[in-house]
């Protein structure tokens, strides 16, 4: 019987699929500092992680029985993939399962930013019954997304999902991606079953920053250890533009971000990811024009179910081959 340790948990559907195929699945997290010991003692063949568990070279060296590492999600930055390759341990992930959920969260931040719901919510709770008309005045200068330009940096799976939603809302879309020249997106109309093709050619980062009212980042991470959006890039943006980052912390220079918010250059920023997770800096957390979520882009029922199912199917396929 193959044994799977889902150290950061696995959706029930994935667990059931594995158990139905005769696998043993443990979903209790190993005690802090005792992961290698747990894997060896209980002879786990597979280690499944999300972003919390770090799979280091030392861990792999300490667990000779480990055959497969699964990352429930997109990024592999918490797994030493080169070391796994060198040791012949396979690494799999579920890259497409959460794209729709992350893209929808981007729009949660955008809608919140243009209608001030992040700021208005706590104030309505504390002042809504005593200061209603003043609050109404303060939050009356909202704007629509329709007719505006959505700039997308990183035009892969999530970037393209964001583009489809922006097009559906009546926005213009511009995108930059050094590895993609042109994409034909299919806008699926559920109601009628139609697929409407829309061709989008990418342009330079500078072009996207200059043209966009809203910019959303969907790159794999920092580039050569540097933020993709820093002082020079913010300077290129329109006055009053907004930024959303649901990719990876550190992709935006957080010092420059705060300066741009305070100077009014940026009207608002939506953040799901932070440079210093899980302890983001408090000046960002307390800024009134930053909307915040705690890295929950992929955290929907639908995405987790898809991730669990895809992961289970990939594990079953792996053991059919080996
Ligand atoms: N917030 C969350 O919970 C959450 C969930 C899932 C994924 N993510 C993150 O979202 C990001 C994108 O995921 P994806 O599935 O779309 O990945 P993807 O690989 O499909 O797309 C990334 C794209 O970025 C492009 N790219 C690389 N360097 C670039 C640069 N310097 N400028 C512009 N484009 C560049 C690549 O060519 C690629 O097309 C990743 O960082 C991933 O870790 C976050």
């Amino acid at each position: 019987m193959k044994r799977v340790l889902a150290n950061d948990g696995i959706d029930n559907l994935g667990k059931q699929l594995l158990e139905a195929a005769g696998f043993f699945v443990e979903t209790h997290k190993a005690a802090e500092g005792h992961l290698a010991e747990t894997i060896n003692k209980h002879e786990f063949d597979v280690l499944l992680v999300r972003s919390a568990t770090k799979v280091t070279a030392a861990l792999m060296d300490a667990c000779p029985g480990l055959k497969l590492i699964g990352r429930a999600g997109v990024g592999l930055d918490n797994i030493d993939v080169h070391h796994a390759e060198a040791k012949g341990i396979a690494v799999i992930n579920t890259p497409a399962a959460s794209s729709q959920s992350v893209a929808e969260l981007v729009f949660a931040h955008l809608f919140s930013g243009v209608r001030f719901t992040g700021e208005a919510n706590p104030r309505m709770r504390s002042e809504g019954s005593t200061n209603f008309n003043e609050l109404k005045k303060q939050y009356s200068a909202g704007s629509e997304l329709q007719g505006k330009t959505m700039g997308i940096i990183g035009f892969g799976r999530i970037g393209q999902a964001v583009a489809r939603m922006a097009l559906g809302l009546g926005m213009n879309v511009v995108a930059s991606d050094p590895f993609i020249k042109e994409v034909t997106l299919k806008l699926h109309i559920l109601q009628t079953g139609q697929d409407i093709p829309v061709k989008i050619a990418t342009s330079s980062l500078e072009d996207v920053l200059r043209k966009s009212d809203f910019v959303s980042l969907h790159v794999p991470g920092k580039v050569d250890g540097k933020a993709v959006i820093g002082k020079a890039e913010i300077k290129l943006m329109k006055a009053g533009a907004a930024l959303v980052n649901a990719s990876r912390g550190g992709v935006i220079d957080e010092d420059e971000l705060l300066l741009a918010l305070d100077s009014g250059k940026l009207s608002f920023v939506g953040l799901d990811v932070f440079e210093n997770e899980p302890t983001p800096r408090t000046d960002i957390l307390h800024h009134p024009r930053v909307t915040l979520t705690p890295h929950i882009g992929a955290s929907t029922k639908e995405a987790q179910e898809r991730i669990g199912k895809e992961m289970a199917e990939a594990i079953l396929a792996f053991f059919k081959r080996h």
Side-chain angles (χ1 to χ4, degrees), residues 270-289:
L271 296 176
D272 186 48
V273 291
F274 304 84
E275 173 93 57
N276 202 24
E277 292 180 27
T279 51
R281 46 196 281 187
T282 48
D283 46 4
I284 289 209
L285 300 182
H286 291 141
H287 200 287
R289 279 181 291 114

Side-chain angles (χ1 to χ4, degrees), residues 169-316:
L169 281 165
M171 302 179 83
N172 291 312
V173 172
V174 288
S176 89
D177 190 313
F179 304 102
I180 294 178
K181 271 206 167 99
E182 187 181 273
V183 166
T184 300
L185 299 171
K186 277 194 188 134
L187 280 193
H188 183 68
I189 310 296
L190 189 60
Q191 187 103 359
T192 59
Q194 285 168 287
D195 280 318
I196 302 170
V198 182
K199 203 186 269 184
I200 296 182
T202 58
S203 56
S204 67
L205 174 65
E206 291 72 19
D207 187 57
V208 169
L209 294 172
R210 281 201 184 94
K211 287 183 177 155
S212 303
D213 300 295
F214 308 97
V215 173
S216 191
L217 288 147
H218 301 289
V219 294
K222 290 184 178 181
V223 177
D224 302 328
K226 277 178 56 192
V228 175
I229 301 292
K231 186 179 185 155
E233 290 74 25
I234 291 174
K235 200 169 168 199
L236 293 173
M237 294 176 73
K238 286 184 181 178
L243 262 176
V244 178
N245 186 15
S247 60
R248 278 288 179 265
V251 162
I252 306 178
D253 180 320
E254 295 183 344
D255 287 323
E256 294 300 333
L257 189 71
L258 285 169
L259 287 173
L261 280 165
D262 289 338
S263 71
K265 172 79 186 194
L266 292 179
S267 59
F268 69 88
V269 174
L271 296 176
D272 186 48
V273 291
F274 304 84
E275 173 93 57
N276 202 24
E277 292 180 27
T279 51
R281 46 196 281 187
T282 48
D283 46 4
I284 289 209
L285 300 182
H286 291 141
H287 200 287
R289 279 181 291 114
V290 182
T291 58
L292 303 149
T293 45
H295 203 150
I296 53 165
S299 307
T300 61
K301 288 194 295 290
E302 292 83 354
Q304 291 307 314
E305 212 173 88
R306 262 181 243 125
I307 287 171
K309 183 167 177 281
E310 274 181 34
M311 187 52 83
E313 287 168 353
I315 293 169
L316 296 178

Side-chain angles (χ1 to χ4, degrees), residues 14-291:
K15 185 169 184 266
Q16 284 165 6
L17 283 171
L18 288 168
E19 286 171 346
F23 285 57
F24 170 78
V25 183
E26 175 60 82
T27 54
H28 283 112
K29 201 177 182 69
E32 190 72 37
H34 293 271
L35 182 54
E37 192 187 319
T38 305
I39 291 170
N40 291 331
K41 186 172 166 202
H42 300 286
E43 299 181 340
F44 285 111
D45 306 280
V46 182
L47 172 63
L48 293 188
V49 300
R50 290 193 167 115
S51 55
T53 302
K54 308 272 173 274
V55 190
T56 60
L59 179 84
M60 293 178 217
D61 290 343
C63 301
L66 202 57
K67 299 175 184 68
L68 179 63
I69 298 164
R71 159 74 163 100
V74 183
L76 292 170
D77 30 358
N78 53 325
I79 299 170
D80 189 335
V81 179
H82 291 303
H83 198 73
E85 266 168 20
K87 289 191 77 78
I89 303 173
V91 179
I92 52 176
N93 64 346
T94 56
S98 62
S99 304
Q100 178 72 14
S101 291
V102 179
E104 290 192 16
L105 186 68
V106 168
F107 282 92
H109 281 281
L110 288 174
F111 281 122
S112 180
V114 292
R115 302 307 295 272
F116 316 110
T117 60
E119 265 188 270
N121 255 299
R123 292 198 63 193
M124 277 298 285
R125 286 193 217 294
S126 59
E127 300 168 51
S129 61
T130 53
N131 202 19
F132 192 97
N133 286 336
E134 183 53 34
L135 293 180
K136 184 175 164 77
K137 234 189 267 166
Q138 281 186 27
Y139 301 123
S140 286
S143 50
E144 295 181 350
L145 296 184
Q146 179 175 254
K148 308 294 190 311
T149 297
M150 180 80 223
I152 297 169
I153 300 173
F155 209 33
R157 288 171 293 254
I158 300 173
Q160 292 178 30
V162 168
R164 281 191 290 272
M165 287 180 211
L167 292 167
L169 281 165
M171 302 179 83
N172 291 312
V173 172
V174 288
S176 89
D177 190 313
F179 304 102
I180 294 178
K181 271 206 167 99
E182 187 181 273
V183 166
T184 300
L185 299 171
K186 277 194 188 134
L187 280 193
H188 183 68
I189 310 296
L190 189 60
Q191 187 103 359
T192 59
Q194 285 168 287
D195 280 318
I196 302 170
V198 182
K199 203 186 269 184
I200 296 182
T202 58
S203 56
S204 67
L205 174 65
E206 291 72 19
D207 187 57
V208 169
L209 294 172
R210 281 201 184 94
K211 287 183 177 155
S212 303
D213 300 295
F214 308 97
V215 173
S216 191
L217 288 147
H218 301 289
V219 294
K222 290 184 178 181
V223 177
D224 302 328
K226 277 178 56 192
V228 175
I229 301 292
K231 186 179 185 155
E233 290 74 25
I234 291 174
K235 200 169 168 199
L236 293 173
M237 294 176 73
K238 286 184 181 178
L243 262 176
V244 178
N245 186 15
S247 60
R248 278 288 179 265
V251 162
I252 306 178
D253 180 320
E254 295 183 344
D255 287 323
E256 294 300 333
L257 189 71
L258 285 169
L259 287 173
L261 280 165
D262 289 338
S263 71
K265 172 79 186 194
L266 292 179
S267 59
F268 69 88
V269 174
L271 296 176
D272 186 48
V273 291
F274 304 84
E275 173 93 57
N276 202 24
E277 292 180 27
T279 51
R281 46 196 281 187
T282 48
D283 46 4
I284 289 209
L285 300 182
H286 291 141
H287 200 287
R289 279 181 291 114
V290 182
T291 58

